[in-house]
């Protein structure tokens, strides 16, 4: 029997010793070993029990997960407040793909999707529309409060919850996040502690205009890697945290921080909750400094490699929304592209374009903006709740030239990055990929 290094309560010891059965004891041992690895002193209760799981895909090669899920289901253990999931890997109703691409995805790669979703429902997935990487948006409603302790693994959701909501969550792995949520405990280390939330970098933004969120996040992530940055100078470009535009900006910046580095928490002076409450006292004594000006952003952006075999090819698809778009972003991108098309006298975009957003956000957009939806559909722009990353994991899909304004998608695929202005110029025919 495993002898934990951390201090456990009598109730926790009972679980480890098998009071709730062998399966639950094994789950507890995994969580305790995880905490011991990082020298956690104890387990603390999760205070927001609605889970969010990163493993949303029924991939064939993930053979251990399906008997594990069956074993968990037999224990009658489940998420007491339900759970949301990362996006689905496939949506061929709304995202065009060849017959061979569909066969490879449905049969060879994600052949267990239906079985896996059935298992998830038995563990607490109450809403089949609960598949999104932006579970924290108001339309979805999985929103921890300031100070809540949670167990998530989706990198962009973890950094948003820690930074923008002020919740507390380590960058967990898939399955471990599930075990912790089901048990209701996490080890107390890292971002769960006050000391672990201190900033070791002061990032000074000295740009002449509002920096592109995706490139700023990329620069920060690559510089500080897994450390915590305290960002000053950005507040002059952002409104209060309640502003939808600010939320969307920080969502995209954080996703780039987390994927271009491994940032799980950032503070923005005068904006994010802990920075507003504690200010620069969040900085450790011997912090490092990183100055970001226009030249530094351009240096970072120009360093991105072009992964296409033939750089001058015409792109086959454009993905906008990784992480998923907010409702306001859906409206803004739609209106802007339509306006630009009208200016150049075009009716359709030059590249098959997919906007990705949470199912609840798409439903709101469809109900409130039916006319706008019809106009973008006519312009060859499509809405989906797919995960673009998992779509391009299909080698037949991922090998084709695609463009995106997402630094996360660029990092994990062959997609070529362009900022908003550049990508819209390409879509309306003002520019070609270069």
């Amino acid at each position: 029997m495993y002898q934990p290094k951390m201090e456990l309560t009598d109730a926790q010891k009972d679980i480890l010793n098998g009071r709730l059965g062998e399966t639950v004891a094994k789950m507890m041992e995994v969580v305790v070993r995880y905490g011991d690895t990082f020298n956690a002193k104890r387990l603390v209760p999760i205070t927001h029990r609605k889970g969010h799981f990163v493993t949303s895909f029924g991939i064939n090669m993930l053979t251990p997960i399906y008997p594990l899920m069956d074993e968990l289901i037999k224990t009658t253990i489940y998420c007491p407040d339900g759970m949301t999931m990362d996006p689905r890997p496939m949506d061929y109703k709304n995202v065009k793909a060849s017959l061979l691409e569909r066969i490879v995805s449905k049969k060879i790669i994600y052949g267990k999707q239906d079985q896996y979703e059935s298992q998830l429902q038995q563990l607490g997935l109450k809403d089949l529309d609960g598949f999104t990487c932006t579970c924290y948006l108001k339309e979805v409603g999985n929103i921890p409060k300031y100070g809540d302790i949670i167990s998530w693994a989706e990198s962009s959701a973890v950094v948003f919850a820690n930074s923008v909501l002020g919740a507390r969550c380590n960058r967990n792995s898939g399955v471990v996040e599930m075990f912790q949520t089901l048990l209701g405990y996490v080890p107390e280390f890292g971002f769960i502690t006050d000391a672990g939330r201190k900033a070791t970098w002061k990032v000074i933004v000295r740009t002449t205009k509002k920096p592109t969120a995706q490139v700023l996040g990329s620069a920060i992530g690559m510089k500080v890697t897994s450390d915590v940055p305290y960002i000053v100078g950005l507040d002059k470009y952002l409104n209060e945290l309640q502003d939808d535009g600010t939320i969307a900006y920080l969502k995209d910046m954080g996703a780039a921080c987390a994927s271009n580095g491994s940032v799980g928490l950032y503070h923005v002076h005068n904006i994010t909750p802990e920075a507003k409450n504690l200010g620069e006292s969040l900085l450790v004594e011997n912090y490092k400094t990183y100055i970001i000006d226009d030249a530094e952003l351009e240096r970072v952006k120009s360093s991105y490699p072009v992964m296409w075999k033939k750089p001058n090819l015409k792109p086959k698809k454009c993905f906008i929304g990784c992480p998923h778009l907010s409702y306001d972003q859906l409206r803004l991108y739609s209106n802007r592209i339509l306006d630009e098309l009208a200016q150049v006298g075009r009716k359709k975009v030059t590249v098959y374009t997919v906007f990705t957003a949470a199912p609840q956000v798409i439903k709101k957009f469809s109900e409130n903006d039916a006319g706008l939806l019809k106009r973008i559909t006519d312009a060859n722009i499509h809405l989906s709740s797919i995960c673009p990353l998992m779509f391009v994991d299909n080698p037949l899909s991922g090998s084709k030239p695609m463009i995106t304004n997402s630094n996360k998608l660029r990092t994990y695929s062959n997609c070529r990055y362009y900022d908003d202005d550049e990508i819209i110029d390409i879509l309306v025919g003002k520019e070609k990929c270069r």
Side-chain angles (χ1 to χ4, degrees), residues 370-385:
L372 184 56
L373 173 58
K374 183 180 185 307
R375 291 174 64 203
I376 64 170
T377 302
D378 290 343
N380 203 25
I381 299 171
H382 309 269
L383 299 186
S384 175
S385 296

Side-chain angles (χ1 to χ4, degrees), residues 291-390:
I291 297 174
I292 299 179
D293 55 16
D294 296 342
E296 176 63 0
L297 289 180
E298 184 56 37
R299 182 196 68 79
V300 169
K301 184 183 171 189
S302 64
S303 72
Y304 301 154
V306 176
M307 304 297 289
W308 300 356
K309 291 182 179 179
K310 297 180 180 180
N312 295 324
L313 288 174
K314 179 182 177 181
K316 298 294 185 181
K317 281 189 179 69
C318 171
F319 281 105
I320 294 178
C322 179
H324 279 169
L325 298 173
S326 69
Y327 172 66
D328 276 11
Q329 284 180 307
L330 260 184
R331 298 185 77 251
L332 287 168
Y333 281 119
S334 297
N335 282 310
R336 183 172 174 193
I337 292 173
L338 290 172
D339 288 346
E340 295 277 353
L341 283 172
Q343 288 179 22
V344 298
R346 286 182 177 269
K347 293 184 178 180
K348 295 187 176 185
V349 292
T350 61
V351 181
Y352 184 96
T353 299
V354 181
F355 289 166
T356 57
Q360 297 86 346
V361 171
I362 290 178
K363 180 180 180 183
K364 180 178 179 179
F365 183 76
S366 302
E367 292 173 350
N368 293 357
D369 305 272
L372 184 56
L373 173 58
K374 183 180 185 307
R375 291 174 64 203
I376 64 170
T377 302
D378 290 343
N380 203 25
I381 299 171
H382 309 269
L383 299 186
S384 175
S385 296
I386 199 173
C387 174
L389 284 173
M390 284 190 271

Side-chain angles (χ1 to χ4, degrees), residues 8 26 41 46 54 67-68 113 135 139 142 146 196-197 266 293 317 332 380 402:
L8 299 178
K26 288 189 290 185
K41 294 182 178 179
I46 292 173
V54 72
L68 169 63
Q113 190 66 29
C135 61
E139 290 84 4
N142 190 352
Y146 182 88
R197 300 178 73 81
Y266 61 80
D293 55 16
K317 281 189 179 69
L332 287 168
N380 203 25
M402 289 180 280

Side-chain angles (χ1 to χ4, degrees), residues 86-89 110 154-155 259 319 321-323 356 386-394 398 406-415:
D86 258 19
R88 289 184 172 100
Y110 302 114
E154 159 58 41
S155 62
S259 56
F319 281 105
C322 179
T356 57
I386 199 173
C387 174
L389 284 173
M390 284 190 271
F391 178 85
V392 300
D393 274 348
N394 182 330
S406 163
N407 229 314
K408 180 175 183 177
L409 184 55
R410 173 201 71 81
T411 303
Y412 296 136
S413 73
N414 289 333
C415 288

